[in-house]
Amino acid sequence: MKDLSKVRNIGISAHIDSGKTTLTERILFYTQRIHAIHEVRGKDGVGAKMDSMELERERGITICSAATYCDWKDHSINIIDTPGHVDFTIEVERALRVLDGAVLILCSVGGVQSQSITVNRQMTRYRVPRVAFINKCDRTGANPDKVIKQLREKLGLNAVPIQVPMGLEGDMQGLIDLVKMKAVYFDGENGDKLRVEEIPAQYKDECDAKREELLDAVSMFSDELMEAVLEGTPTEEMIMAAIRKGTLSLEFSPVMMGSAYKNKGVQLLLDAVNDYLPCPTDVDNFALDLDHDEAEVKVTNQPTDPLLALAFKLEDGRYGQLTYVRTYQGTLKKGDSIVNVRTGKKAKVGRLVRMHSDEMEEIEESGSGDIVALFGIDCASGDTFTRGDYNFSMSSMHVPEPVISLSITPVDNKAQDNMSKALNRFTKEDPTFKTYVDQETLETIISGMGELHLDVYVERMKREYKAEVTVGAPQVAYRETITQRADFNYTHKKQTGGSGQFGRVAGYIEPLEEGEYEFVDQIVGGSIPREYIPSCDKGFQKCLEKGSLVGAHVTGVRCAINDGASHAVDSSDIAFQLAAMGGFKEAYMKAKPVIMEPIMKVAVEGPTEFQGSIMGSLNQRRGMIIGTNEEDAYTVIEAEVPLSEMFGYSTDLRSLTQGKAEFTMEFATYRPVPKSVAEELISKAQKKDKK
Amino acid sequence: MLKQELIEKNPIRHLKGESDAKESSRMGLVMARAGVGKTALLVQIALDSLLNDKQVVHVSVGQSLDKTKLWYDDMFKDIAEFCNLENAGEIHDSIMHNRMIITFNESKFSRAKLEERLHDLVQQNVIKPSCMVVDGFDFAKTDRAVLEGMRDLATTMDLQIWFSAVCNEEADCQCASGIPAPCKGMEDLFNTVVLLQPVSQSDCIDLKILKGTAAVSKCGKLLKLDTKSFMIRENCK
């Protein structure tokens, strides 16, 4: 069995285009997993190894996080390559869940951009220790010091460099390791020959100063080092131990630099992953005990304990469904029978493989803390596997609600079949991607986290499933809610032919501060018989599906019943459901309903000279500008803008700023729409009803 | 409590400038030791303008956008709680549209830049502020000319500007003889100068009016503020 202290499960996470995939590619090369280097947008047409999907190659972005395994200096490293675009944050979050540590990649020119802030926040949420790597130090305008300052200011990290670059931009020669106080050069065609030398005289002073700064910062984490520093005799081991301690406690982030493209600094980064990032036993992971009200239980990480494994990603491969799992304790062996805790279904582990992007390597067993893939197991992502002796689930992951939807129509019958296959697969793979059939228009609706998110799935349908679909205009997921309390007293009566229906329900509805819906039963004296109370609940819930204003989902309502009447013969389940529905409709308009729309937090980054026009453009889109932040020639404008106004913004922004500005957005909250817009929406909904 | 009552309870109501100064283009200064609540009072002043449906620009030197925004959210929440404000959520959403935060790095801040930014905003029709608060302005490193420039800005843009300044520990005993350092000798540029002082063993903060007069005579030159919401407390006179 492998020594767990030599296992690293790391993620590589960063802003789009900061060179994450290139870096992963280099890591795989130096660890001898691949034997040639292909660029992301390379001319050889092969593309980088990690971008296994055709579409990703075409767009130059990484969508699915492929898990890859490699060895570096007697440590095993599992790398999860995570997407950089904010629309795919569920992928990032899911990857973070199973990671023990992460490398945060930053561009030495762009620095900390809004996406990095999002990713950083997610890492803090899952308590992922991280080291930072400032990439692209070969680019014109590279300024690692500025980036480090931003790491401190914008991300609130205690970021301290442990390296000093020898030269920047075009004449970058190598790096100086501040722990060992040695200069490192990267020789050979692919930078694979390391040459360690004394520090050149011209960098001596700078290095001494930076080392002092580093010692100051890390001696906080080790008394031993503190004493040694005071006596002037700190050893390499002491410093490394202190850096590791600080990193694991999330109170310190070592900063490295280099250029993956120019093959500089990648090996040192791998050393740092081994030296400073945690192994599975360093991190506390918790499972939820389903028998005891989801109480948190710490997992043991012992290979001898009962099995606990989490399926965090599904992929539809050439040979059927591939399930990526991380084992948290116990051992997963080929031929084992395992139980899916959610469904209670048993399954047999037929093949166990270690993934290397889309090639794989068969293995016999996987110890705790490892990341492997299983074949032919039917499950959804987020499911937990045990051997049936445990009723534990790995904690449920934070899944955001979809904010945008569009209708898709297959072009022919064949496409229809393929489309449903594809949708079935996508919904299993990605919890933020949902699909349903609109009962009125009979159209298939897909919903997700953003325009690009849905775009990618439509493309994948075409390519992977040969399902040609026509796409409708994107629709924003509006919601309705009530703003005040209203009473109802409704009698449902039907006595025409056959058995009659009778039910009277009285009560009130009121706004609910937190949560979507609550049902309160305040019936005393049995004015509504016990057996019909759930019918009322059911009736209310049916009403919530479609509000009377624009037919949007109604949320934030507490429905209470306090009186009613029944008939010995004519009362039935359906009669009370209808009575409750009638009651709800009666009270709904009195309760001053409002339409809510998703508001996105938008951050636009661009040259200062365009600040005015960018703000103007946000203002036009009903945006509420929160503020601006100036730094050097760039300005960041933050605003909250309704999602419905953001369609096509990327095109507008490009033409407005000669392509020099970029923006990111993420869902912030739901907020009532202004009156004029509400009226428009209502009249549109009414017109649609009449059709 | 309703919005109107909330407005009346704001300490800013009691801080009238000198009689000859125009209400709309005055300059004010809040002084205190570090950590007493300068930013809180500035945010309070800004919120007062916002509640009066006026537009506000908040200039924050050296603080991040998110932090500044949090100040507003927290202050508003505290005030709403202190005064039992009705439908606070709605009022919050409606007034925040009229606020704009501009943040600068300490080294990047200059009057010319700020002026350019403001003109930009007005021209683009994004905001037409009638109140501006400047937090984190380093008085120790500025000369009179910059402040005079700001005064001109206040006049041309018809804007009231409030600054915050950190004073040192000894300021407490100096205040009898005028304005404490680092703003000594600049008092003629301001219409109102106030000093915040924590009161030990009490849940109040003293607001001393060093320049300008209090509108309500019974308060004299000293107001008691609640430490959390910075509203005037009636029960600890």
mmCIF file of all heavy atoms in Angstrom, chain A residues 48-62:
data_model
loop_
_atom_site.group_PDB
_atom_site.id
_atom_site.type_symbol
_atom_site.label_atom_id
_atom_site.label_comp_id
_atom_site.label_asym_id
_atom_site.label_seq_id
_atom_site.Cartn_x
_atom_site.Cartn_y
_atom_site.Cartn_z
ATOM 1 N N ALA A 48 -3.253 20.525 -26.658
ATOM 2 C CA ALA A 48 -2.700 20.067 -25.397
ATOM 3 C C ALA A 48 -3.422 18.810 -24.944
ATOM 4 O O ALA A 48 -4.573 18.586 -25.255
ATOM 5 C CB ALA A 48 -2.826 21.157 -24.346
ATOM 6 N N LYS A 49 -2.709 17.999 -24.195
ATOM 7 C CA LYS A 49 -3.223 16.712 -23.771
ATOM 8 C C LYS A 49 -4.470 16.832 -22.898
ATOM 9 O O LYS A 49 -5.380 16.025 -22.973
ATOM 10 C CB LYS A 49 -2.124 16.021 -22.961
ATOM 11 C CG LYS A 49 -2.358 14.554 -22.809
ATOM 12 C CD LYS A 49 -1.692 13.851 -23.952
ATOM 13 C CE LYS A 49 -2.172 12.437 -24.106
ATOM 14 N NZ LYS A 49 -1.742 11.917 -25.383
ATOM 15 N N MET A 50 -4.463 17.813 -22.018
ATOM 16 C CA MET A 50 -5.542 17.887 -21.056
ATOM 17 C C MET A 50 -6.866 18.324 -21.671
ATOM 18 O O MET A 50 -7.920 18.036 -21.152
ATOM 19 C CB MET A 50 -5.190 18.844 -19.906
ATOM 20 C CG MET A 50 -4.045 18.391 -19.056
ATOM 21 S SD MET A 50 -4.458 16.944 -18.060
ATOM 22 C CE MET A 50 -5.347 17.700 -16.728
ATOM 23 N N ASP A 51 -6.791 19.058 -22.752
ATOM 24 C CA ASP A 51 -8.032 19.489 -23.385
ATOM 25 C C ASP A 51 -8.571 18.360 -24.235
ATOM 26 O O ASP A 51 -8.421 18.342 -25.437
ATOM 27 C CB ASP A 51 -7.757 20.686 -24.318
ATOM 28 C CG ASP A 51 -7.628 21.948 -23.530
ATOM 29 O OD1 ASP A 51 -7.894 21.907 -22.324
ATOM 30 O OD2 ASP A 51 -7.271 22.970 -24.121
ATOM 31 N N SER A 52 -9.242 17.421 -23.604
ATOM 32 C CA SER A 52 -9.551 16.229 -24.380
ATOM 33 C C SER A 52 -10.756 16.424 -25.278
ATOM 34 O O SER A 52 -10.928 15.708 -26.240
ATOM 35 C CB SER A 52 -9.749 15.046 -23.450
ATOM 36 O OG SER A 52 -10.725 15.351 -22.492
ATOM 37 N N MET A 53 -11.570 17.395 -24.989
ATOM 38 C CA MET A 53 -12.755 17.513 -25.841
ATOM 39 C C MET A 53 -12.484 18.383 -27.066
ATOM 40 O O MET A 53 -11.830 19.399 -26.980
ATOM 41 C CB MET A 53 -13.894 18.111 -25.037
ATOM 42 C CG MET A 53 -14.892 17.045 -24.667
ATOM 43 S SD MET A 53 -16.305 17.774 -23.933
ATOM 44 C CE MET A 53 -15.715 17.994 -22.301
ATOM 45 N N GLU A 54 -13.030 17.940 -28.142
ATOM 46 C CA GLU A 54 -12.823 18.620 -29.417
ATOM 47 C C GLU A 54 -13.118 20.114 -29.325
ATOM 48 O O GLU A 54 -12.364 20.964 -29.750
ATOM 49 C CB GLU A 54 -13.804 18.019 -30.411
ATOM 50 C CG GLU A 54 -13.222 17.624 -31.727
ATOM 51 C CD GLU A 54 -14.334 17.107 -32.603
ATOM 52 O OE1 GLU A 54 -14.910 16.041 -32.303
ATOM 53 O OE2 GLU A 54 -14.642 17.806 -33.558
ATOM 54 N N LEU A 55 -14.240 20.376 -28.696
ATOM 55 C CA LEU A 55 -14.723 21.740 -28.582
ATOM 56 C C LEU A 55 -13.742 22.618 -27.818
ATOM 57 O O LEU A 55 -13.489 23.765 -28.174
ATOM 58 C CB LEU A 55 -16.059 21.702 -27.850
ATOM 59 C CG LEU A 55 -16.739 23.012 -27.573
ATOM 60 C CD1 LEU A 55 -17.059 23.705 -28.870
ATOM 61 C CD2 LEU A 55 -17.995 22.759 -26.783
ATOM 62 N N GLU A 56 -13.172 22.027 -26.776
ATOM 63 C CA GLU A 56 -12.219 22.788 -25.994
ATOM 64 C C GLU A 56 -11.022 23.150 -26.841
ATOM 65 O O GLU A 56 -10.482 24.239 -26.749
ATOM 66 C CB GLU A 56 -11.772 21.980 -24.788
ATOM 67 C CG GLU A 56 -12.921 21.693 -23.853
ATOM 68 C CD GLU A 56 -12.479 20.915 -22.643
ATOM 69 O OE1 GLU A 56 -11.287 20.625 -22.531
ATOM 70 O OE2 GLU A 56 -13.343 20.618 -21.816
ATOM 71 N N ARG A 57 -10.619 22.208 -27.655
ATOM 72 C CA ARG A 57 -9.464 22.488 -28.513
ATOM 73 C C ARG A 57 -9.783 23.640 -29.439
ATOM 74 O O ARG A 57 -8.984 24.514 -29.674
ATOM 75 C CB ARG A 57 -9.116 21.261 -29.324
ATOM 76 C CG ARG A 57 -8.287 20.331 -28.491
ATOM 77 C CD ARG A 57 -7.810 19.164 -29.259
ATOM 78 N NE ARG A 57 -7.363 18.190 -28.280
ATOM 79 C CZ ARG A 57 -7.163 16.933 -28.526
ATOM 80 N NH1 ARG A 57 -7.364 16.483 -29.739
ATOM 81 N NH2 ARG A 57 -6.752 16.124 -27.612
ATOM 82 N N GLU A 58 -10.980 23.620 -29.973
ATOM 83 C CA GLU A 58 -11.351 24.643 -30.919
ATOM 84 C C GLU A 58 -11.397 26.021 -30.279
ATOM 85 O O GLU A 58 -10.930 27.005 -30.820
ATOM 86 C CB GLU A 58 -12.717 24.297 -31.497
ATOM 87 C CG GLU A 58 -13.094 25.129 -32.664
ATOM 88 C CD GLU A 58 -14.387 24.613 -33.247
ATOM 89 O OE1 GLU A 58 -14.370 23.578 -33.935
ATOM 90 O OE2 GLU A 58 -15.404 25.257 -32.988
ATOM 91 N N ARG A 59 -11.991 26.105 -29.106
ATOM 92 C CA ARG A 59 -12.134 27.416 -28.475
ATOM 93 C C ARG A 59 -10.941 27.810 -27.627
ATOM 94 O O ARG A 59 -10.895 28.897 -27.084
ATOM 95 C CB ARG A 59 -13.375 27.417 -27.577
ATOM 96 C CG ARG A 59 -14.638 27.286 -28.365
ATOM 97 C CD ARG A 59 -15.811 27.838 -27.623
ATOM 98 N NE ARG A 59 -16.966 27.785 -28.496
ATOM 99 C CZ ARG A 59 -18.167 28.156 -28.131
ATOM 100 N NH1 ARG A 59 -18.372 28.600 -26.922
ATOM 101 N NH2 ARG A 59 -19.164 28.100 -28.959
ATOM 102 N N GLY A 60 -10.030 26.869 -27.435
ATOM 103 C CA GLY A 60 -8.862 27.187 -26.622
ATOM 104 C C GLY A 60 -9.177 27.343 -25.152
ATOM 105 O O GLY A 60 -8.449 27.990 -24.424
ATOM 106 N N ILE A 61 -10.284 26.806 -24.715
ATOM 107 C CA ILE A 61 -10.574 26.873 -23.284
ATOM 108 C C ILE A 61 -10.788 25.454 -22.765
ATOM 109 O O ILE A 61 -11.067 24.547 -23.522
ATOM 110 C CB ILE A 61 -11.825 27.721 -22.968
ATOM 111 C CG1 ILE A 61 -13.032 27.194 -23.733
ATOM 112 C CG2 ILE A 61 -11.570 29.172 -23.268
ATOM 113 C CD1 ILE A 61 -14.332 27.838 -23.335
ATOM 114 N N THR A 62 -10.648 25.306 -21.470
ATOM 115 C CA THR A 62 -10.810 23.999 -20.867
ATOM 116 C C THR A 62 -12.169 23.940 -20.197
ATOM 117 O O THR A 62 -12.515 24.818 -19.423
ATOM 118 C CB THR A 62 -9.725 23.772 -19.815
ATOM 119 O OG1 THR A 62 -8.511 24.216 -20.363
ATOM 120 C CG2 THR A 62 -9.628 22.331 -19.436
#
